[in-house]
Amino acid sequence: MEKPNIKSRLKEKILVLDGAMGTMIQRYKLEEEDFRGDKLKDRPGSLKGNNDLLSITRPDVIKEIHAAYFEAGADIAETNTFSGTTIAQADYSLEDIVYELNFESAKIAKEVADKFSKNEPNKPRYVAGSIGPTNRSAGLSPDVNDPGFRNVTFDELVTAYTQQVQGLVDGGVDLLLVETVFDTLNAKAALYAIQQFFIDNNMDLPVMVSGTITDASGRTLSGQTTEAFLISVSHVPLISIGLNCALGASQLRPYLQVISRESKFNISAHPNAGLPNAFGEYEQTPEEMAELIKEYLDLELINIIGGCCGTTPEHIQAIANVAKDYKPRQLMAT
């Protein structure tokens, strides 16, 4: 169905991104057979925990999660494809199903988005193809004794990302989200793959990029400052740039202020629900998180807001209720 261009919507309101997929999947307490289904029942090794597979083996679960976030007020849903590359799926020897995994994930999210858009035409829903960082690094060595060693090349990343983009686009995503960037060289490979794919297929989609500041130093894992990260990807015509994961809303704010001050793009943020406790659990309540997000809004920092690890539809609903009373950050003149 025909929807308003997301660029025009961003001029009108702050758009709400959904929350954590993994956190919601944990609520279902799924077992090995849920991840296998009939299609993968004979594959060797354990597949439990490979959440992307559920788009194929338990699409009902993924549909319910997307619907819950849209019901809570999200404007944009991320596809269940954070690990949807041959590089990441190699851990499970499932490189051969990567296209299907991305295609089905996009198709599921689009089906739910279209249903909500039809029922509420004044609030169109969009699907962002989630492109994660993979489990390898083009910029860092996995061997402390050999800093020059790399376990993946730029070209290998480009090939893997191109395959992922093909599946996401064929499945019907409205935009692409290169997220949780801990190594900007990986992100550059993803962005190169996306741009080349657009050229080869004579098409274009909006592209979001979201980096990850890993600690109080204000740097990515590969050592870039927030400003350096921004500069290193600003040659690409992005619809937005922002930060997600690793930190809670409070800890993320000073780095968002840097990006908001320096960027010509829309700004996105989807922080964690605070910092994890000793058991790796996120305890920040929806009300507490919404109060911290309100500080972003008062400072006019953002155009797109959502949640990452530990966030649920309850968090997104609280955030959406706060965001609806604010106007989006104004883009600087170029």
Side-chain angles (χ1 to χ4, degrees):
M1 63 178 294
E2 198 65 35
K3 289 183 287 197
N5 186 294
I6 193 169
K7 292 180 181 178
S8 63
R9 290 291 288 166
L10 279 166
K11 294 176 182 176
E12 299 167 0
K13 69 185 293 277
I14 293 172
L15 296 185
V16 178
L17 193 65
D18 62 5
M21 177 63 73
T23 299
M24 291 300 292
I25 287 172
Q26 287 175 8
R27 289 185 172 185
Y28 287 82
K29 302 189 184 307
L30 302 176
E31 299 298 337
E32 181 73 24
E33 54 266 28
D34 293 296
F35 291 86
R36 288 184 172 276
D38 290 334
K39 183 180 181 65
L40 303 171
K41 63 182 180 181
D42 297 325
R43 293 291 181 118
S46 174
L47 302 182
K48 186 178 179 180
N50 187 356
N51 289 343
D52 294 25
L53 286 183
L54 297 173
S55 297
I56 297 172
T57 61
R58 287 297 305 271
D60 56 313
V61 169
I62 305 305
K63 283 182 184 178
E64 284 182 11
I65 293 171
H66 286 318
Y69 278 123
F70 281 139
E71 193 72 47
D75 299 287
I76 306 170
E78 300 168 67
T79 56
N80 180 38
T81 54
F82 186 80
S83 300
T85 59
T86 51
I87 292 171
Q89 288 300 319
D91 285 355
Y92 299 92
S93 300
L94 292 175
E95 296 96 325
D96 59 311
I97 68 162
V98 160
Y99 175 83
E100 181 184 4
L101 189 155
N102 284 281
F103 178 82
E104 293 298 332
S105 295
K107 185 180 173 185
I108 288 168
K110 184 172 176 58
E111 180 184 324
V112 181
D114 284 352
K115 180 181 178 181
F116 274 83
S117 296
K118 183 178 180 181
N119 291 339
E120 299 177 90
N122 63 327
K123 186 178 172 62
R125 306 314 210 275
Y126 301 90
V127 175
S130 171
I131 299 174
T134 82
N135 50 2
R136 299 192 180 189
S137 169
L140 294 169
S141 172
D143 184 353
V144 294
N145 297 312
D146 187 0
F149 174 69
R150 298 292 182 271
N151 59 4
V152 71
T153 68
F154 186 88
D155 287 347
E156 287 170 341
L157 285 164
V158 170
T159 298
Y161 282 128
T162 301
Q163 293 167 340
Q164 181 172 31
V165 170
Q166 180 77 65
L168 291 171
V169 170
D170 288 352
V173 298
D174 299 298
L175 61 155
L176 296 168
L177 168 57
V178 180
E179 65 166 308
T180 320
V181 176
F182 68 84
D183 182 342
T184 309
L185 195 54
N186 284 38
K188 281 178 171 287
L191 292 169
Y192 176 79
I194 290 167
Q195 290 179 292
Q196 193 60 50
F197 183 89
F198 289 165
I199 292 169
D200 292 343
N201 293 276
N202 192 28
M203 64 166 296
D204 192 26
L205 286 177
V207 178
M208 301 171 63
V209 169
S210 184
T212 294
I213 300 302
T214 54
D215 56 37
S217 70
R219 295 175 181 267
T220 64
L221 191 63
S222 55
Q224 279 191 315
T225 63
T226 309
E227 188 173 18
F229 164 68
L230 168 65
I231 292 168
S232 65
V233 297
S234 289
H235 61 289
V236 180
L238 304 173
I239 191 174
S240 71
I241 189 165
L243 299 172
N244 76 289
C245 205
L247 303 176
S250 179
Q251 296 83 12
L252 202 62
R253 189 185 69 199
Y255 312 119
L256 274 176
Q257 287 176 287
V258 171
I259 287 187
S260 183
R261 184 174 64 243
E262 302 292 339
S263 176
K264 61 186 178 183
F265 305 121
N266 292 295
I267 304 300
S268 72
H270 49 298
N272 293 346
L275 297 175
N277 61 22
F279 303 100
E281 299 166 339
Y282 294 88
E283 299 177 328
Q284 194 170 78
T285 67
E287 294 73 25
E288 290 168 342
M289 188 171 183
E291 191 62 32
L292 294 171
I293 296 300
K294 186 175 181 296
E295 296 178 19
Y296 293 5
L297 302 167
D298 288 334
L299 293 169
E300 299 180 355
L301 295 181
I302 54 170
N303 305 89
I304 301 171
I305 185 68
C308 203
C309 303
T311 58
T312 65
E314 292 79 11
H315 289 84
I316 297 306
Q317 183 174 34
I319 290 168
N321 285 340
V322 171
K324 65 180 171 50
D325 295 327
Y326 286 82
K327 293 182 178 180
R329 165 187 169 275
Q330 295 299 301
L331 271 62
M332 63 176 65
T334 55

